[in-house]
Amino acid sequence: MPVIGSMCESIADDLAKVCRIIDDELFSDLAVVNDLCEHVRGYRGKMLRPALLLLTGKACGTTTDEHLTLAAVLEIVHMATLVHDDVLDEADLRRRKPTINRLQGNEAAVLFGDYLISHAFHLCSTVDTFACRQIGASTNTVCEGELQQVHHRGNWRLTIDQYLEIISRKTAALTGAACLLGAHYAGAAPTVVAELQRYGVEVGMAFQITDDVLDLVGSQEQMGKTLGRDAEEQKLTLPVIHALSRAPAAVQARVQNLLQAGHPDRQTLADLLNEAGSIEFAMARAGEYVASAVARLDVLPENEARTTLVRLARSILSREV
């Protein structure tokens, strides 16, 4: 099942419908475009954003055709960000397959990412203005977060608060939008919609922190994508920021020297971060976001979808891929 584990069986049929909507929307009369679309079908891994949208809809009442369409829109937007991210990171592997930029070059990858974004908003326009504006605003925020991260490349004094601001934009904005839309189109009260949006933001924060940890200490074979690119490009993530600001001076110097040298050895860097307690620190912060997210679900009645949202949030802390 294309979602985190098998915990989302209750929305399996809806997720299958979402995938069909995506395929129908992206179909082209040009073989070269269809070949690229077929390739990125494999990018639908965890289907986190569609799952969040559908589950929040069910938790608040019921899901509609609008939920299915918007779940597809969010996944297409996410796929576009992955295609563009691989260009920025010069990545060779995604979901255990060669990236678009590896296969076709950066020019084709950038254009195809634009194609995906264009189709996302073409599809979104079939719903209403509210959906278009919410997803448009979230996509704008994602771009701002990415620009902010690039701006701070090699900034050895980047603070934890600045890092959290970056990931709140580049990752959490879209997961927050998923939950907002799920609740809104199920007719939830504004106070409930707001709490579920915050749940989505905090889930996104925890997910990105653990993703950054796995980029440093995870297995490339398990993750199925190119790892270590943030360190190579001197894009500081939470464990590195912690080590550079709170580890003993000798460890700080070794970490900075590794990063400045370019192409740092991942194992050496991981050992230093573990020695400094930086991996533990980052995972503890992710745990705080998960706990806060789960608490926000108290606005919901007890039902299967709410239980799944709790399990989904907590599963982030034990993910290996």
Side-chain angles (χ1 to χ4, degrees):
M1 183 183 301
V3 73
I4 298 176
S6 59
M7 68 180 68
C8 294
E9 292 179 359
S10 63
I11 57 170
D13 290 343
D14 281 345
L15 284 171
K17 292 176 184 176
V18 170
C19 289
R20 288 195 291 272
I21 292 171
I22 294 172
D23 291 339
D24 290 344
E25 174 62 31
L26 297 182
F27 180 79
S28 170
D29 60 350
L30 297 175
V32 63
V33 177
N34 282 331
D35 287 345
L36 292 172
C37 291
E38 178 62 29
H39 187 80
V40 297
R41 287 186 71 184
Y43 285 18
R44 300 176 206 163
K46 292 168 279 292
M47 293 280 282
L48 174 63
R49 292 145 197 85
L52 288 172
L53 192 150
L54 294 170
L55 286 168
T56 50
K58 285 185 177 293
C60 293
T62 188
T63 53
T64 63
D65 288 344
E66 285 84 359
H67 285 89
L68 298 176
T69 299
L70 293 174
V73 169
L74 284 177
E75 187 63 12
I76 295 172
V77 170
H78 176 59
M79 289 162 61
T81 66
L82 296 182
V83 172
H84 282 162
D85 279 351
D86 288 340
V87 174
L88 295 173
D89 296 341
E90 299 179 0
D92 294 325
L93 198 66
R94 169 74 65 180
R95 304 276 191 253
R96 300 178 177 84
K97 298 168 61 176
T99 57
I100 298 292
N101 49 293
R102 170 73 180 276
L103 291 173
Q104 300 288 339
N106 288 343
E107 187 176 20
V110 169
L111 290 169
F112 184 63
D114 293 345
Y115 175 85
L116 293 173
I117 288 286
S118 176
H119 271 278
F121 285 98
H122 178 262
L123 180 59
C124 192
S125 69
T126 65
V127 181
D128 59 22
T129 303
F130 178 84
C132 289
R133 292 190 64 81
Q134 289 296 323
I135 293 177
S138 300
T139 305
N140 291 343
T141 302
V142 170
C143 294
E144 291 168 350
E146 293 285 2
L147 287 167
Q148 195 175 11
Q149 184 175 55
V150 169
H151 172 73
H152 284 293
R153 181 183 294 168
N155 177 8
W156 310 115
R157 295 185 178 181
L158 188 72
T159 67
I160 290 174
D161 285 345
Q162 286 174 315
Y163 162 82
L164 295 175
E165 170 68 16
I166 289 169
I167 68 169
S168 73
R169 291 175 180 271
K170 78 167 196 171
T171 301
L174 214 53
T175 50
C179 295
L180 180 154
L181 293 168
H184 174 82
Y185 285 95
T191 53
V192 175
V193 173
E195 281 298 284
L196 289 179
Q197 181 183 18
R198 287 303 307 166
Y199 163 88
V201 166
E202 289 167 344
V203 162
M205 298 290 284
F207 189 91
Q208 185 60 60
I209 291 171
T210 58
D211 205 59
D212 290 342
V213 168
L214 289 169
D215 188 63
L216 292 162
V217 303
S219 162
Q220 186 157 295
E221 290 70 27
Q222 284 183 304
M223 294 287 285
K225 65 179 181 179
T226 304
L227 298 182
R229 294 298 294 161
D230 284 340
E232 290 179 5
E233 295 180 355
Q234 299 179 356
K235 294 178 181 177
L236 274 59
T237 54
L238 187 56
V240 174
I241 295 168
H242 176 272
L244 289 175
S245 60
R246 304 188 185 184
V251 175
Q252 290 186 36
R254 290 183 65 192
V255 170
Q256 186 167 333
N257 288 338
L258 263 179
L259 295 173
Q260 286 179 319
H263 302 288
D265 180 74
R266 285 180 68 243
Q267 187 58 59
T268 301
L269 182 57
D271 289 343
L272 286 170
L273 296 175
N274 274 311
E275 178 185 340
S278 301
I279 300 299
E280 182 180 1
F281 173 85
M283 291 305 297
R285 181 59 66 94
E288 291 171 8
Y289 280 113
V290 167
S292 180
V294 169
R296 293 186 187 280
L297 298 178
D298 288 346
V299 297
L300 294 173
E302 291 286 350
N303 55 42
E304 182 181 2
R306 174 185 164 170
T307 299
T308 303
L309 287 169
V310 171
R311 292 176 58 203
L312 190 153
R314 289 175 175 163
S315 74
I316 290 171
L317 302 176
S318 58
R319 60 186 284 250
E320 295 181 350
V321 294

